Amino acid sequence: MPKFAANLSLMFNEAGFLDRFAAAHAAGFRAVEFMFPYAFDPRQVAARLQRYDLALVLHNLPAGDWAAGERGLACDPRRTREFRDSVSLGIEYATELGAPRLHCLAGRLPPNVTHERAHATYVDNLRFAASRCREHGIALLIEPINTRDVPGYFLTGTRQAAAIIAETGADNLFLQYDIYHMQRMEGELAGTLRQYLPLIRHVQLADVPGRHQPGTGEIHFPYLFRLLDELGYDGWLGCEYVPQGDTLASLAWLEQVGSPGCWT
């Protein structure tokens, strides 16, 4: 059975961020992920991870002004210096927190920038970020995101991501495969997992269309979990969903896919 990590940016929002670590531990999780830790001193976050014996699976590099709708800097040729500074900050936090992976958001295609120029910028920035991450033993991940939720996002498909990974030539650049986003963009989840598993270093999940917990939409998660086992995926599955109801009630699906405690 796959191992499940709680995404603390979306789950346990009944509590403040620093209190969500205790809530995840009490619910039975032994690993967590989150989008951005940068509003907090890394020592505060590290102390919560240690106190509650939680592994940190990954977090994101800084993504610009999130509240204003920015979703990453990596494909914007006008912000290369800002992006590269953000890599240093992300690595600083990942090192302090023991995160073995960092996710680099591509960003939206900037206005008045051609797709070709954005692509070249993105590849160049990924080579830079992967090189810096390699110095610290960190894997860098890229994730295709659906354009219904994030119109204009630059990286939108698995094949595109695989081609970019190959183009960079970086041996520590991998695919973060989000079941929710790719069901909305591509479908063919099982076939895609079979084809691209060698590139995948992290999987995230939510059901479609509401981005709620498994069992609230159209995806047959028990089949996908069995498939991941058959394929030999031994990484974490990040529960990056918006709970329908309170978070603890939303965890009932875990009891349906394995014995109690199967996510530990």
Side-chain angles (χ1 to χ4, degrees):
M1 177 57 58
K3 304 175 295 183
F4 299 101
N7 186 296
L8 299 187
S9 295
L10 298 183
M11 301 174 71
F12 301 104
N13 280 341
E14 299 85 358
F17 178 73
L18 291 177
D19 293 326
R20 295 173 199 170
F21 296 85
H25 173 82
F29 287 99
R30 295 297 174 262
V32 297
E33 63 180 35
F34 40 75
M35 290 194 289
F36 308 109
Y38 307 110
F40 302 92
D41 187 306
R43 293 170 294 185
Q44 291 179 291
V45 181
R48 296 311 194 279
L49 290 167
Q50 182 176 14
R51 181 183 306 172
Y52 298 108
D53 193 25
L54 292 167
L56 176 59
V57 175
L58 62 80
H59 63 81
N60 295 339
L61 290 174
D65 189 342
W66 191 266
E70 293 183 345
R71 293 297 183 267
L73 310 172
C75 74
D76 192 336
R78 302 163 300 186
R79 302 177 74 177
T80 297
R81 182 172 181 177
E82 184 181 352
F83 171 77
R84 297 189 176 193
D85 288 343
S86 80
V87 172
S88 296
L89 180 61
I91 289 173
E92 177 184 336
Y93 270 77
T95 302
E96 179 77 23
L97 302 179
R101 304 167 196 85
L102 281 170
H103 168 223
C104 175
L105 289 111
R108 303 176 194 261
L109 181 66
N112 303 315
V113 173
T114 66
H115 187 278
E116 292 75 17
R117 188 180 179 202
H119 175 91
T121 300
Y122 186 38
V123 170
D124 192 42
N125 278 334
L126 287 174
R127 285 179 178 140
F128 171 84
S131 177
R132 289 294 317 281
C133 285
R134 188 185 300 108
E135 296 170 6
H136 299 271
I138 295 170
L140 185 68
L141 308 184
I142 57 174
E143 174 193 6
I145 291 176
N146 84 80
T147 53
R148 293 179 178 87
D149 291 356
V150 187
Y153 196 74
F154 184 76
L155 183 63
T156 61
T158 308
R159 182 179 299 179
Q160 179 193 9
I164 287 170
I165 291 170
E167 185 176 351
T168 66
D171 61 3
N172 65 324
L173 179 63
F174 298 102
L175 176 62
Q176 180 169 309
Y177 187 80
D178 189 300
I179 290 170
Y180 166 78
H181 287 301
M182 291 303 91
Q183 174 67 3
R184 303 208 74 174
M185 290 300 293
E186 301 174 343
E188 294 293 336
L189 297 173
T192 303
L193 287 167
R194 287 191 181 96
Q195 181 176 355
Y196 291 100
L197 189 69
L199 287 180
I200 294 172
R201 289 299 181 274
H202 187 55
V203 176
Q204 292 177 319
L205 63 86
D207 216 334
V208 172
R211 201 174 184 176
H212 301 308
Q213 62 266 26
T216 58
E218 66 191 37
I219 300 174
H220 186 19
F221 278 99
Y223 169 73
L224 291 179
F225 297 153
R226 290 194 300 271
L227 176 64
L228 286 168
D229 277 345
E230 292 169 7
L231 295 175
Y233 177 72
D234 61 358
W236 293 94
L237 274 77
C239 300
E240 193 184 38
Y241 66 76
V242 178
Q244 191 176 64
D246 67 73
T247 301
L248 286 178
S250 81
L251 297 175
W253 64 273
L254 283 164
E255 304 297 334
Q256 300 169 10
V257 299
S259 59
C262 69
W263 57 95
T264 59

